[in-house]
Amino acid sequence: MADGGAMTTAEAGGATAHWAPGSHILWRYRENGGARFHIVRPVTVVRDDPELLAVWLAPGTECLKPALADGTPVHEEPLRSRYTKPRTVQRDRWFGTGVLKLAGPGQPWSVWLFWDAGWRFKNWYVNLEEPLVRRPDGVDSEDHFLDICVYPDRTWGWRDEDEFAQAQQDGLMDARTAERVREAGRSAVEVIRAWGSPFSDGWQHWRPNPSWAVPSLPEEIPGEPPRALPEDAGRTPAHMSS
């Protein structure tokens, strides 16, 4: 990627390095129950150190997202068949306001910040997922369906519990994993109730550097076969992909 993966300090032995602010990396999710990446988002590094990775997903960024093979948008497919119908991937763009993503090392969730137009802060979004695995070009995870919305008045609520249940019913998550995800969610709720980091850190007042360019999505995803980006992949803009 352009500016991609510029590393700065490294731990002894070179096991872990950190990206410099302004670097472009890929934030990727593997498909549930599979080995391919079905969500890939080019992002700009805001901060990267032993305590936190913060990245900016800019409006208009070209991303890779899942799509049903018959052309039906995933979110429009009835839940009972959403995870069993054949799927493909397609290129699309992240429209609307951008998203700031925050992740602590080894943490089974990341926290996303959303704004409305005019930088009016909307909410935090706790995305339960596998702890990020770092690669030279970015980070990898697997989404766990269940999420938590946290609002400026410090109220919160579970999100996508129906999808979480359907994923288990369709064999995308076994009972042991589901309980591990629930436990991660309960741990996140304890942080929310205590108003710990990152909710208390003032990130809602952060703004991106206006000189940053929007990173590009590579023609081929590193570590993936070329078919991961089909030549006939649709490029119709969407308001937001997930």
Side-chain angles (χ1 to χ4, degrees):
M1 303 180 65
D3 304 327
M7 294 260 183
T8 53
T9 58
E11 293 181 358
T16 301
H18 300 291
W19 293 289
S23 297
H24 292 171
I25 64 172
L26 297 176
W27 188 297
R28 314 190 298 186
Y29 289 99
R30 290 191 180 277
E31 61 187 353
N32 303 95
R36 297 177 61 191
F37 295 106
H38 69 157
I39 296 174
V40 180
R41 296 168 181 160
V43 294
T44 302
V45 174
V46 174
R47 169 183 160 184
D48 185 31
D49 56 39
E51 286 74 43
L52 184 74
L53 171 64
V55 303
W56 172 241
L57 174 58
T61 301
E62 189 175 31
C63 303
L64 192 70
K65 58 176 270 188
L68 297 183
D70 66 4
T72 303
V74 171
H75 68 278
E76 293 182 7
E77 180 67 22
L79 188 58
R80 64 181 180 275
S81 53
R82 187 175 301 171
Y83 302 126
T84 55
K85 276 195 171 182
R87 289 195 176 197
T88 184
V89 292
Q90 67 179 30
R91 289 176 179 262
D92 210 334
R93 291 192 180 273
W94 188 280
F95 276 73
T97 57
V99 180
L100 180 67
K101 298 187 176 189
L102 311 173
Q107 205 165 47
W109 65 76
S110 56
V111 178
W112 307 356
L113 283 77
F114 289 89
W115 290 264
D116 287 325
W119 286 102
R120 186 173 67 87
F121 182 62
K122 186 177 180 181
N123 65 275
W124 294 269
Y125 189 87
V126 180
N127 195 73
L128 297 172
E129 59 190 41
E130 285 295 316
L132 296 179
V133 175
R134 298 172 69 98
R135 297 165 52 95
D137 61 326
V139 292
D140 298 345
S141 184
E142 181 176 321
D143 184 76
H144 284 158
F145 301 97
L146 189 62
D147 308 296
I148 306 169
C149 260
V150 185
Y151 302 98
D153 64 359
R154 301 193 184 186
T155 60
W156 60 273
W158 297 100
R159 289 289 303 273
D160 302 325
E161 290 187 279
D162 56 345
E163 295 185 3
F164 182 62
Q166 189 69 44
Q168 294 171 66
Q169 183 175 323
D170 292 337
L172 297 180
M173 181 181 295
D174 60 29
R176 179 177 296 180
T177 302
E179 179 52 35
R180 179 165 55 87
V181 174
R182 278 289 188 189
E183 179 57 34
R186 289 190 286 267
S187 296
V189 167
E190 290 179 6
V191 175
I192 296 165
R193 286 174 169 160
W195 208 243
S197 181
F199 308 103
S200 59
D201 296 339
W203 281 103
Q204 65 271 31
H205 306 300
W206 174 88
R207 300 293 182 266
N209 187 326
S211 69
W212 284 345
V214 176
S216 58
L217 182 68
E219 287 302 313
E220 294 185 9
I221 303 302
E224 284 288 277
R227 65 187 178 91
L229 294 176
E231 293 181 1
D232 61 349
R235 295 174 181 263
T236 303
H239 291 294
M240 187 169 69
S241 58
S242 61

